[in-house]
Amino acid sequence: MGDANSVLDAAQARHLVRRTGFGVDRALAASLTGLTRGQAAARLVGFKVRNNAPRGRDFRSLHDKWLKQMVGTRTPLFEKLVLFWHDHFATNFTTVPRADAMGRQNRLLRQYC
């Protein structure tokens, strides 16, 4: 395993990126290779909280915009945390059939994730 001062090799960096995001971003993994575990963790959690929640008039457009944002983000851990909390509170369009309410929840999760 290792501690915060252990240096990440390429395989460990890819594993870390896969676990903290949605698949492996090879450029991100390459940028973490050679850093210590502590430095890599600091870089991944060092994102600025931004409230750029997707907006849409209907559920389908809101959903599709959010998915596109999750997979195309430069801060995958941030998006993964928003998704985690969304899943934790178990809300969906069946229980909350209003796109505006779901959008407000997404903005709230982004603010405090």
Side-chain angles (χ1 to χ4, degrees), residues 17 20-22 25 27-29 31-32 43-48 50 52 68-80 110:
V17 170
T20 58
F22 302 100
D25 177 335
L28 179 58
S31 74
L32 299 177
R43 185 173 291 178
L44 289 172
V45 299
F47 51 78
K48 294 180 182 172
R50 61 200 191 290
N52 61 338
K68 185 177 179 180
Q69 184 171 334
M70 278 191 278
V71 297
T73 186
R74 298 178 81 184
T75 53
L77 181 57
F78 180 83
E79 292 297 332
K80 198 162 190 173
R110 288 173 179 287

Side-chain angles (χ1 to χ4, degrees), residues 82-101:
V82 173
L83 179 62
F84 169 82
W85 286 111
H86 170 74
D87 184 58
H88 177 76
F89 293 115
T91 54
N92 59 46
F93 193 65
T94 304
T95 58
V96 183
R98 292 179 44 210
D100 63 320

Side-chain angles (χ1 to χ4, degrees), residues 21-69:
F22 302 100
V24 175
D25 177 335
R26 294 193 184 280
L28 179 58
S31 74
L32 299 177
T33 301
L35 297 179
T36 66
R37 291 172 184 259
Q39 290 168 328
R43 185 173 291 178
L44 289 172
V45 299
F47 51 78
K48 294 180 182 172
V49 174
R50 61 200 191 290
N51 208 343
N52 61 338
R55 298 182 186 274
R57 292 181 182 253
D58 60 80
F59 173 72
R60 179 58 51 201
S61 69
L62 184 65
H63 177 267
D64 292 349
K65 287 176 184 178
W66 188 24
L67 285 175
K68 185 177 179 180
Q69 184 171 334

